[in-house]
Structures are given as structure tokens and as C-alpha cells.
């Protein structure tokens, strides 16, 4: 409607800074601004150079470690027939997908390669009755254990360590940049306070 007074608008914010403003001549640019900009660039380049290298080195070391673990497990673990000593609990939802994935710990009896009979606890499917026979992995002492690591698991764990290492390098770089930025900001505040302490008496008049 004509003659309507428009609602007051908030004052415009500061104009966006150009991408390379810390390196451009500017009367408002401080030495700390330039120092922080160079530091940020240096940290970024260092992270980009170090993170892949550190990840590759750690990933290779982890891969060799888990390969040794897998070989040791293959030498010390084997499949054995185990006889249930008690009935396994029944799942509350028979026939469900959850039942197919659920396992319950039950005491079983196994015979080791040396012919010794051992009693151990193994994870078995729900609803199995006593005297049922299941095949489980056992170690050299006849204790139930997990299957040896597969090649896929070895690669997955090594890749995980490589990724964690690369992320750690990036986080360390971000922490260095944040701490130095905080120190430079505190230095700016101290300089501002000193400059104001020198300028303030000129603005005040004796009463």
C-alpha cells in the first residue's frame, strides 16, 4: 500500500573477505593475520603430504601383523565336532531372521587332536537339544574360539588402521592450527589493550 513505512532492516554485515586477503596489501591487515594465513597453508600442505604416507606405512605394518596373526591362528586352530551337554535356549521368535543370526553359549564336549576330552562353552544355534553334534573351531588346548582371520578380514583391519592414522594426522594438524590461532588471538588482544591504555588518556578530560 502506498505510503507504508517499510520495516527497519538490520545493518548490513561486514563485506566478505577476498580469498587471498591475508597476503594482499591492506591497512587493516596485521602481521598476525599474515602469520596465521601462512601457518594454515603450511599445516594444510603438511597434512596432505604426511597423512597418506603415514596411513600407507601404518597400513602396511598392520597388514603384515595381521597376516602373522592369521598364520598363527591357522596353525593352532582347527575344526572339531562338539557334543552339547545341555539344551540350548529357544529363541522367542522361531523361524525369524533374528533367530537365524542368534547364538547362545552352551557347554559342549570336544575331543582334541591328542585324544583328550575337554569341556568348553561354545556359541550354538537356538533350540538344539542335548547330545546334538555341532562343528566348532577350537584352539590347541581344546577351548572354543573364533575362526582364523580370513584374507578379507586382514585387509579390512589394515585399511582401518591406515584410515585412522590419516584421520589422526589431520586432527593433529587442525589442533596445531587452532592452538596457534588462539595464541595469536590472545596476542592481538594484549596489543589492543596496550594500545588503548596509551590512547585512552588522550580522549578523557579532567573533571
Amino acid at each position: 500500500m502506498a505510503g507504508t513505512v517499510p520495516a527497519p532492516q538490520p545493518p548490513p554485515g561486514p563485506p566478505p573477505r577476498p580469498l587471498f586477503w591475508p597476503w594482499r596489501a591492506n591497512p587493516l591487515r596485521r602481521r598476525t593475520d599474515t602469520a596465521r594465513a601462512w601457518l594454515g597453508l603450511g599445516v594444510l600442505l603438511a597434512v596432505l603430504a604426511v597423512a597418506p604416507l603415514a596411513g600407507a606405512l601404518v597400513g602396511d605394518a598392520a597388514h603384515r601383523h595381521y597376516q602373522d596373526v592369521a598364520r598363527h591362528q591357522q596353525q593352532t586352530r582347527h575344526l572339531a565336532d562338539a557334543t552339547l551337554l545341555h539344551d540350548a535356549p529357544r529363541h522367542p521368535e522361531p523361524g525369524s531372521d533374528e533367530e537365524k543370526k542368534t547364538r547362545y553359549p552352551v557347554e559342549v564336549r570336544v575331543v582334541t587332536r591328542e585324544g583328550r576330552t575337554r569341556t568348553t562353552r561354545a556359541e550354538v544355534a537356538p533350540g538344539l537339544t542335548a547330545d546334538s553334534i555341532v562343528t566348532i573351531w577350537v584352539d590347541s588346548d581344546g577351548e572354543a574360539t573364533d575362526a582364523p582371520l580370513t584374507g578379507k578380514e586382514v585387509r579390512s583391519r589394515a585399511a582401518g588402521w591406515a584410515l585412522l592414522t590419516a584421520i589422526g594426522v589431520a586432527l593433529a594438524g587442525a589442533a596445531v592450527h587452532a592452538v596457534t590461532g588462539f595464541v595469536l588471538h590472545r596476542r592481538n588482544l594484549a596489543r589492543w589493550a596496550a594500545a588503548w591504555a596509551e590512547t585512552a588518556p588522550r580522549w578523557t578530560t579532567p573533571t
Side-chain angles (χ1 to χ4, degrees):
M1 185 163 95
T4 302
V5 178
Q9 299 295 321
R17 292 177 173 178
L19 179 61
F20 299 103
W21 77 270
W23 292 279
R24 298 175 62 180
N26 190 317
L28 298 179
R29 185 189 64 183
R30 300 158 297 188
R31 285 184 298 176
T32 52
D33 295 331
T34 304
R36 187 171 184 179
W38 281 111
L39 176 66
L41 179 61
V43 169
L44 176 62
L45 294 177
V47 168
L48 293 177
V50 174
L53 178 60
L57 292 176
V58 172
D60 181 66
H63 188 267
R64 287 186 277 105
H65 166 73
Y66 286 117
Q67 277 186 325
D68 293 340
V69 171
R71 281 193 292 267
H72 180 265
Q73 291 176 345
Q74 291 168 358
Q75 294 171 357
T76 58
R77 300 179 183 184
H78 64 278
L79 289 170
D81 290 337
T83 304
L84 273 68
L85 300 181
H86 308 285
D87 293 345
R90 294 188 177 275
H91 196 271
E93 300 180 7
S96 64
D97 291 337
E98 184 180 357
E99 181 193 30
K100 298 176 182 179
K101 301 176 183 178
T102 302
R103 294 294 181 267
Y104 291 109
V106 177
E107 286 191 349
V108 298
R109 182 175 60 251
V110 297
V111 178
T112 65
R113 288 178 172 177
E114 294 77 17
R116 294 183 291 113
T117 301
R118 290 292 308 271
T119 299
T120 183
R121 293 183 69 84
E123 302 282 339
V124 301
L128 292 179
T129 59
D131 295 329
S132 297
I133 297 178
V134 295
T135 301
I136 63 173
W137 283 94
V138 295
D139 59 19
S140 56
D141 295 326
E143 294 290 338
T145 186
D146 297 327
L149 292 175
T150 64
K152 182 178 180 180
E153 290 173 330
V154 169
R155 291 189 296 271
S156 176
R157 295 190 180 191
W161 279 108
L163 179 60
L164 286 176
T165 301
I167 293 175
V169 171
L171 291 177
V176 169
H177 185 261
V179 170
T180 52
F182 176 77
V183 172
L184 292 175
H185 179 64
R186 292 294 300 271
R187 180 174 296 181
N188 286 338
L189 292 179
R191 289 179 177 177
W192 287 340
W196 178 248
E198 180 181 352
T199 305
R202 305 175 188 172
W203 287 24
T204 59
T205 57
T207 58

